[in-house]
Amino acid sequence: MSGLGTAFGSGAMTNSIYELDDMGPKDAIFAIGTNTTECHPKIGVKMLKAKARGTKLVVADPRKTDVARHADVWLRHKPGTDVVLLNGLSHVILTEGLADEAFIAERTENFEAFKEVAMKFTPEYAASITKVPAEKIIEAARIIAKADNTASYYTMGITQHTTGVDNVLSVANLAMLTGNMGKPKGGVNPLRGQNNVQGSCDMGALPNVYTGYQPVTDPAVKMKFEKAWNAKLSDKVGLTIPSTLNAIAKDKVKILYVFGENPMRSDPDINHVEHCLKHLDCLIVQDIFLTETAEIADVVLPGVSFAEKDGTFSSTDRTVQRIRKAIEPRGNSLPDWQILSNIMKAMGYPADYSSPKEIFDEMRSLTPSYAGITYKRLENGGIPWPCPNEDHPGTPILHIGKFSRGLGKFAAVEYREPAELPDEEYPLMLTTGRVVAHYHTGTMTRRSWGLNGAHPEESLEINPQDAEKLNIEDGDEISVTTRRGSLITKAQVTTRVPQGLTFITFHFTESPGNILTNSAADPVTQTPEFKVCSVKVKKLDFSDFGCQKRKIFRKKSKHEAV
Ligand SMILES: Nc1nc2c(c(=O)[nH]1)N[C@H]1C(S)=C(S)[C@@H](COP(=O)(O)OP(=O)(O)OC[C@H]3O[C@@H](n4cnc5c(=O)[nH]c(N)nc54)[C@H](O)[C@@H]3O)O[C@H]1N2
Ligand SMILES: Nc1nc2c(c(=O)[nH]1)N[C@H]1C(S)=C(S)[C@@H](COP(=O)(O)OP(=O)(O)OC[C@H]3O[C@@H](n4cnc5c(=O)[nH]c(N)nc54)[C@H](O)[C@@H]3O)O[C@H]1N2
Ligand SMILES: [Mo]
């Protein structure tokens, strides 16, 4: 449910976006695994403005992103080595006496276990695995620890790994070690992906919770919802996306209702996805366009876009905001809530809602963290949850004075390698992600003349040294192959990626990046390892096809590093 938002494994920001506007020369930003200017341009611009005011910027990313180019210290680590890098930073802070001892003593637990592991990761050892020079690790650690406030930001570069949870825990360790939790201009801030992924998760679009993260396994919660809905409810945790696909293959799931998501392009190893979806008895897709997934569906239900409906969206910093219908729905499309209500009614449940406001009021009566948020209050601007009652102003910063769980728990995190690493047959590493002009599977942005014109086709980023070895020039047509599949695209020869690493998006249906990716996933969140697998790249030899090589012209992308 990503148009409405799947969480590919991230929580909410502990702090608010707007604190970036107050950051000055004594503060620092630590951005790890986030291509912020391309993927969260508004926040990216705020980061760069803070940097221009003298705020120190530390960036950890294998690729030379815009934020990396502007960083005071850029840690160009090998993909999949974040735990080592973060433990290495912690090691420096511990040995140089830069830890916030008062914070650790008063607010945290399990510090000794964490310390014991972190102490193994000397900067030299960390350098040997991450390939970041030890001096840079030391310099970055000093900036992060010595600033008055350091705010950490991370996104998919951290979570889309078989070690995603370990990575996130390691970012949290660093924030606690330096006393940067529960205060302005600090915190651990995962920047969420879609316009309303936060709202979808808040509304319980997850396998294990009702609205406001109330567990389905809690008998009191179950009773509350059974009473409100006058229905019997299950206390079993549902399936994640990968386990749903496996259950289809085993005939345990027969009908799938896909809602605002295009798994035929966005899930890893789409040959496998296609096999599973075609195995279903019935596939229902509710989308605003006829996607690749809708094309193989038995039933397609036409929803409407954000501009054609009323409701609320919750932003990455938990701020609930009103959205208002700007244009009328076209044809026989309907707002998603009406389609869902009609289906419930057809199945015999009296879902007689008259408006999104009525649904919101029911929801807040059952959800403590949203209880104080009303449509009337939202007329005056957004409100960040938790907001327990109508006199409460909302909560821009979490964990002030006390963590939600009481004490903040340090985690002792050892390093584990990614599931698939380069070898003789597949000698290069592949990482995947986004470019500014396109959104995910391109269903929306590739229909926009301006955006598609700005970036009309795929290309694989490959380092000049690797390209030379493979006799590949910029713009050459190439094949890219992994153990899962193969596609044809063009080469973009660029130092934006280091030697040994290649990068592709998943925006283009003609060369779908997820043919290549590995479905190995984090054991806890089931987030797939989109950020690391191994590939082989080959220049296409047109003589194979008995034809002459076409001259292919490619406009240089303005985001290309020179
Ligand atoms: N233009 C645009 N904006 C978007 C989206 C879009 O499709 N297009 N999608 C939205 C959504 S849903 C999301 S989730 C966000 C995603 O936003 P981001 O996470 O910022 O985007 P990605 O390109 O997936 O990856 C971020 C960075 O991770 C780096 N990376 C790769 N491997 C590693 C690693 O092992 N460690 C570290 N530390 N970094 C690594 C990549 O080089 C890349 O720069 O963007 C949102 N915004
Ligand atoms: N290789 C690789 N794959 C990835 C990632 C990666 O970094 N690398 N990132 C992953 C991440 S973080 C994400 S979030 C997913 C995104 O994966 P998806 O969510 O599958 O990708 P989208 O293209 O955003 O698909 C959303 C669909 O919702 C539809 N839609 C938009 N608005 C509405 C609406 O209001 N109602 C309805 N019913 N439909 C609507 C759109 O037309 C679109 O078809 O991709 C994941 N896949
Ligand atoms: Mo996402």
Side-chain angles (χ1 to χ4, degrees), residues 351-363:
D352 286 318
Y353 298 104
S354 61
S355 67
K357 179 177 177 299
E358 195 185 329
I359 298 171
F360 189 89
D361 283 336
E362 177 189 296
M363 181 278 299

Side-chain angles (χ1 to χ4, degrees), residues 85-95 114 118 170 173-174 177:
L85 184 68
L86 290 158
N87 274 337
L89 292 168
S90 295
H91 183 283
V92 176
I93 291 166
L94 287 164
T95 50
F114 152 74
S170 303
N173 282 343
L174 191 61
L177 184 64

Side-chain angles (χ1 to χ4, degrees), residues 135-397:
E135 315 79 72
K136 288 221 168 190
I137 298 177
I138 295 168
E139 201 188 340
R142 288 179 183 156
I143 292 175
I144 291 168
K146 286 184 181 170
D148 284 358
N149 309 289
T150 299
S152 298
Y153 298 85
Y154 71 81
T155 48
M156 295 302 117
I158 281 294
T159 52
Q160 288 174 341
H161 292 279
T162 44
T163 58
V165 169
D166 291 349
N167 293 347
V168 170
L169 291 173
S170 303
V171 176
N173 282 343
L174 191 61
M176 290 192 290
L177 184 64
T178 53
N180 276 303
M181 295 297 286
K183 65 172 188 178
K185 301 189 271 183
V188 172
N189 299 292
L191 307 177
R192 303 216 62 164
Q194 297 109 338
N195 44 5
N196 194 31
V197 59
Q198 187 67 52
S200 306
C201 294
D202 295 353
M203 291 309 101
L206 291 168
N208 57 340
V209 289
Y210 292 106
T211 54
Y213 308 93
Q214 303 174 79
V216 295
T217 48
D218 180 336
V221 169
K222 178 172 171 255
M223 233 161 67
K224 179 171 79 172
F225 280 90
E226 284 188 335
K227 200 166 151 229
W229 292 341
N230 191 23
K232 277 262 153 275
L233 299 171
S234 164
D235 58 3
K236 301 232 165 17
V237 171
L239 299 177
T240 57
I241 298 176
S243 38
T244 304
L245 290 175
N246 290 336
I248 294 170
K250 289 186 191 142
D251 285 321
K252 290 202 175 127
V253 169
K254 306 241 177 209
I255 301 173
L256 192 67
Y257 189 158
V258 176
F259 175 22
E261 177 147 340
N262 188 12
M264 279 289 292
R265 288 293 172 270
S266 60
D267 272 5
D269 190 3
I270 52 184
N271 282 327
H272 173 66
V273 175
E274 180 170 10
H275 170 80
C276 293
L277 295 186
K278 287 188 169 162
H279 187 70
L280 284 162
D281 287 354
C282 175
L283 174 63
I284 304 164
V285 171
Q286 181 165 323
D287 204 290
I288 59 173
F289 291 114
L290 194 73
T291 63
E292 292 79 0
T293 312
E295 276 171 17
I296 60 164
D298 299 284
V299 182
V300 180
L301 301 165
V304 299
S305 72
F306 69 95
E308 303 162 89
K309 60 190 171 199
D310 278 303
T312 60
F313 280 179
S314 305
S315 79
T316 180
D317 63 3
R318 296 168 282 105
T319 305
V320 182
Q321 301 168 79
R322 273 282 275 126
I323 56 153
R324 295 176 183 82
K325 185 165 84 174
I327 49 173
E328 287 302 322
R330 297 186 188 188
N332 59 0
S333 61
L334 285 177
D336 293 302
W337 70 268
Q338 281 184 21
I339 300 178
L340 290 172
S341 300
N342 289 345
I343 287 183
M344 282 193 274
K345 282 191 260 182
M347 291 172 82
Y349 183 79
D352 286 318
Y353 298 104
S354 61
S355 67
K357 179 177 177 299
E358 195 185 329
I359 298 171
F360 189 89
D361 283 336
E362 177 189 296
M363 181 278 299
R364 74 184 190 89
S365 76
L366 293 164
T367 313
S369 56
Y370 269 70
I373 304 176
T374 64
Y375 265 45
K376 186 147 180 273
R377 287 186 74 190
L378 292 178
E379 288 301 323
N380 302 320
I383 301 173
W385 63 261
C387 178
N389 60 61
E390 288 186 39
D391 299 320
H392 193 285
T395 313
I397 303 173

